[in-house]
């Protein structure tokens, strides 16, 4: 147990170190994307990016802040996010497809906060990058197969992708590795896939995987799971294909209500996860 905590601290340090790279903030997660437009928030939470940081996040990935027109085009094909973000030219707003009482003041369209005079305000970001490789995503379907970016081609250097899986309350997620080939090194420090039994990459660490051996199946304790794929600056490999299917919870007690539970990991296995 102490070893696990100690290792978690090491991982945490490592994760922190990824926050800045070449002076550019690089610690956001993918949430949703459509028509080349996607929403980003800082990993430290909602509304943490200044205009300069939001711009840097999009540019780091080869894109730029979306214009109002690009955001509207994405909205028209179903891009709906309930969080205000920077757009090009210092504008702030968010796209609403479905009117709801808690978001968008019951209206549909771009909720427009206008061009901000104070560029130090903190919001999320809306990036536009039509050539961006699909990297990460949010899945809510009862089953899905997802792949490393570019698969079946090799993945690229310096990737950071997050997949969030959220299935119906009361169900579990059963992960199966179909193909797996990630640059191998003894502690998986170069390239790795990490699996978390929670909706973020802080709680519920299950395991870190690299090499070309298929990891064992993993079953979540709750209805959410996060996978994080990180690659360094050199040496790539074939990548992976992973399938998940949902399973009904065992009927006994309230087991599984705690999505970030610790210590109920007897059927979880990872290269460094359970000690
Ligand atoms: C600009 O916004 C930041 C963050 O909200 C705030 O701390 C700062 O005081 C604002 N500056 C001005 C001139 O209003
Ligand atoms: C969830 O976790 C809390 C604190 O760890 C505990 O008190 C509670 O009983 C747990 N609930 C379930 C349903 O396991
Ligand atoms: Ca590598």
């Amino acid at each position: 147990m102490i070893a696990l905590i100690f290792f978690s601290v090491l991982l945490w340090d490592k994760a922190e170190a990824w926050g800045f790279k070449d002076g550019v903030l690089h610690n956001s997660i993918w949430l949703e994307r459509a028509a080349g437009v996607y929403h980003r928030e800082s990993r430290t939470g909602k509304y943490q990016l200044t205009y300069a940081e939001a711009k840097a996040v999009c540019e780091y990935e080869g894109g730029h802040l979306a214009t109002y027109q690009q955001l509207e085009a994405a909205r028209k094909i179903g891009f709906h996010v309930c969080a205000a973000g920077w757009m090009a030219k210092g504008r702030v707003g968010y796209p609403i497809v479905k009117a709801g009482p808690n978001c968008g003041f019951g209206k549909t369209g771009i909720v427009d906060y206008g061009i901000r005079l104070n560029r130090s305000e903190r919001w999320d970001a809306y990036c536009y990058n039509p050539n961006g490789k699909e990297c990460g995503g949010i899945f809510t379907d009862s089953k899905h197969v997802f792949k490393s970016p570019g698969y079946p081609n090799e993945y690229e250097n310096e990737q950071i992708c997050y997949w969030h899986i959220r299935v119906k309350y009361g169900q579990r997620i059963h992960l199966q590795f179909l193909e797996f080939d990630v640059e191998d090194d003894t502690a998986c420090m170069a390239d790795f896939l990490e699996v978390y039994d929670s909706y973020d990459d802080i709680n519920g660490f299950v395991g870190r995987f690299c090499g070309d051996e298929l990891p064992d199946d993993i079953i979540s304790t709750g209805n959410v799971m996060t996978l994080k794929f990180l690659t360094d600056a050199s040496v790539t490999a074939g990548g992976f294909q992973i399938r998940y299917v949902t399973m009904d919870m065992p009927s006994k007690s309230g087991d599984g209500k705690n999505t970030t539970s610790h210590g109920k990991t007897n059927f979880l296995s990872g290269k460094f996860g359970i000690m």
Side-chain angles (χ1 to χ4, degrees):
M1 194 59 196
I2 289 177
L4 179 60
I5 289 164
F6 179 66
F7 192 71
S8 301
V9 169
L10 280 182
L11 282 178
W12 175 248
D13 285 350
K14 172 105 174 130
E16 287 285 277
W18 280 87
F20 279 86
K21 188 159 191 179
D22 304 327
V24 172
L25 185 75
H26 189 49
N27 67 342
S28 306
I29 61 173
W30 293 78
L31 289 182
E32 300 185 48
R33 72 184 285 162
V37 173
Y38 54 92
H39 166 251
R40 279 240 170 184
E41 69 175 23
S42 166
R43 201 193 298 161
T44 55
K46 208 172 178 178
Y47 299 163
Q48 298 292 329
L49 302 171
T50 64
Y51 179 61
E53 287 167 346
K55 224 169 155 224
V57 163
C58 299
E59 282 168 7
Y60 184 88
E61 291 149 2
H64 51 75
L65 284 169
T67 63
Y68 181 94
Q69 289 75 17
Q70 286 162 345
L71 191 61
E72 172 61 7
R75 192 194 68 81
K76 285 200 172 124
I77 59 168
F79 188 61
H80 171 105
V81 182
C82 187
W86 290 105
M87 289 177 261
K89 301 200 174 101
R91 200 163 184 163
V92 169
Y94 56 98
I96 295 300
V97 174
K98 200 162 173 277
N102 301 320
C103 194
F105 310 102
K107 298 195 175 112
T108 60
I110 305 293
V111 177
D112 189 3
Y113 292 1
I115 291 175
R116 312 306 295 172
L117 294 176
N118 183 350
R119 304 278 165 106
S120 304
E121 288 175 359
R122 292 178 183 276
W123 304 101
D124 294 348
Y126 287 101
C127 303
Y128 177 72
N129 183 3
N131 305 314
K133 284 214 174 69
E134 193 69 41
C135 170
I138 292 193
F139 305 127
T140 54
D141 343 2
S142 63
K143 57 179 193 276
H144 200 97
V145 174
F146 57 98
K147 300 162 185 173
S148 50
Y151 193 92
N153 297 321
E154 297 202 344
Y155 59 78
E156 290 177 7
N157 292 317
E158 302 191 321
Q159 295 266 313
I160 175 166
C161 314
Y162 287 83
W163 290 268
H164 295 283
I165 305 170
R166 182 178 56 219
V167 299
K168 286 204 185 84
Y169 180 79
Q171 292 192 314
R172 294 182 191 222
I173 299 155
H174 181 166
L175 280 190
Q176 286 172 290
F177 295 81
L178 306 177
E179 305 279 342
F180 195 80
D181 182 16
V182 169
E183 181 189 0
D184 199 8
D185 79 79
T186 44
C188 295
M189 291 312 248
D191 301 348
F192 58 82
L193 178 75
E194 283 180 348
V195 178
Y196 292 84
D197 188 29
S198 77
Y199 200 59
D200 59 36
D201 61 339
I202 294 162
N203 300 299
F205 176 72
V206 174
R208 173 185 280 209
F209 306 95
C210 64
D212 59 7
E213 210 175 291
L214 274 188
D216 291 340
D217 290 10
I218 297 170
I219 298 172
S220 66
T221 58
N223 65 324
V224 294
M225 209 168 219
T226 297
L227 286 85
K228 172 181 178 181
F229 180 50
L230 230 136
T231 71
D232 67 359
S234 64
V235 186
T236 62
F240 50 80
Q241 269 200 91
I242 300 172
R243 171 168 58 209
Y244 78 79
V245 294
T246 47
M247 294 169 55
D248 290 323
M249 293 274 187
S251 54
K252 63 178 162 86
S253 76
D255 187 18
K257 272 186 185 156
N258 287 322
T259 53
T260 58
S261 67
H262 301 280
K264 277 188 201 154
T265 43
N266 44 324
F267 43 69
L268 294 170
S269 68
K271 209 162 180 176
F272 294 98
I274 309 311
M275 300 180 200

